Amino acid sequence: MGVLAIYTVTTSRSGLKKAERKLDKAGEDYAIISVRGIGERRPYLVQESRRLHRIDSLFLVFDDICPTRGHGTLMKEHHAKSIVDFVERNSDKIIICQCEAGQSRSFAIAAAIQKHLYDDSTLSEMLPSDASKYVYDMIGVEYETKEGSGEVV
């Protein structure tokens, strides 16, 4: 079974909250993968008491960098493993992928999920930066590792 849909949104006041409200109103169960860098603000989520259909959330901290460029906290293997495990656990739900701008890390996560669940590389052909390609590749390696070990992905 695959993820029903993948959304990427920003942390603007209206971005993530708007997506959550739309899914709650439609009665759709969803899960959120939220990535922020060191020093970036936390995302604006619908208050826990008001959300109706957010089933699960994964919050990660790593910066929008790659090994050859940028300073900060680099995405590590455990981040990729957490993402793959989270997607497996929520494979029957809509997945919202969210980062500061909604253009690099979250886009790369959505592209990797789409590639490995649906064998569709459309999004991966549009990755905007070396940093997003790095995130995409890290998740791809984790999917390949799981498949190589005989785990169902």
Side-chain angles (χ1 to χ4, degrees):
M1 181 181 309
V3 172
L4 298 175
I6 304 166
Y7 295 105
T8 59
V9 297
T10 67
T11 58
S12 67
R13 286 199 183 270
S14 61
L16 188 52
K17 273 187 172 180
K18 188 175 181 180
E20 283 198 278
R21 286 185 179 131
K22 183 177 179 180
L23 292 169
D24 277 338
K25 188 175 181 178
E28 298 283 350
D29 289 343
Y30 63 95
I32 296 173
I33 299 172
S34 177
V35 181
R36 67 183 177 98
I38 300 295
E40 290 177 356
R41 66 185 185 271
R42 295 184 64 94
Y44 297 104
L45 299 173
V46 170
Q47 292 178 355
E48 200 69 28
S49 62
R50 293 189 171 186
R51 66 130 172 111
L52 302 173
H53 294 277
R54 184 186 338 132
I55 304 302
D56 203 355
S57 303
L58 174 64
F59 296 97
L60 301 171
V61 178
F62 58 88
D63 290 300
D64 192 12
I65 60 172
C66 63
T68 59
R69 197 177 55 163
H71 300 285
T73 302
L74 192 63
M75 181 188 194
K76 304 276 195 280
E77 290 175 18
H78 70 274
H79 295 119
K81 182 176 181 353
S82 294
I83 291 167
V84 170
D85 291 345
F86 182 84
V87 170
E88 282 181 13
R89 197 169 60 242
N90 292 287
S91 64
D92 59 339
K93 297 165 194 70
I94 293 170
I95 303 283
I96 299 176
C97 302
Q98 177 272 325
C99 68
E100 183 69 17
Q103 298 174 357
S104 187
R105 291 166 289 183
S106 63
F107 190 86
I109 292 166
I113 294 168
Q114 181 175 333
K115 167 66 177 150
H116 294 282
L117 292 184
Y118 302 115
D119 197 28
D120 182 351
S121 58
T122 306
L123 290 179
S124 66
E125 295 167 3
M126 298 182 279
L127 292 171
S129 68
D130 290 342
S132 61
K133 290 175 185 148
Y134 175 75
V135 169
Y136 175 86
D137 290 343
M138 289 287 292
I139 296 167
V141 166
E142 181 57 30
Y143 271 113
E144 290 169 8
T145 300
K146 280 196 155 209
E147 290 166 358
S149 70
E151 289 185 53
V152 175
V153 181

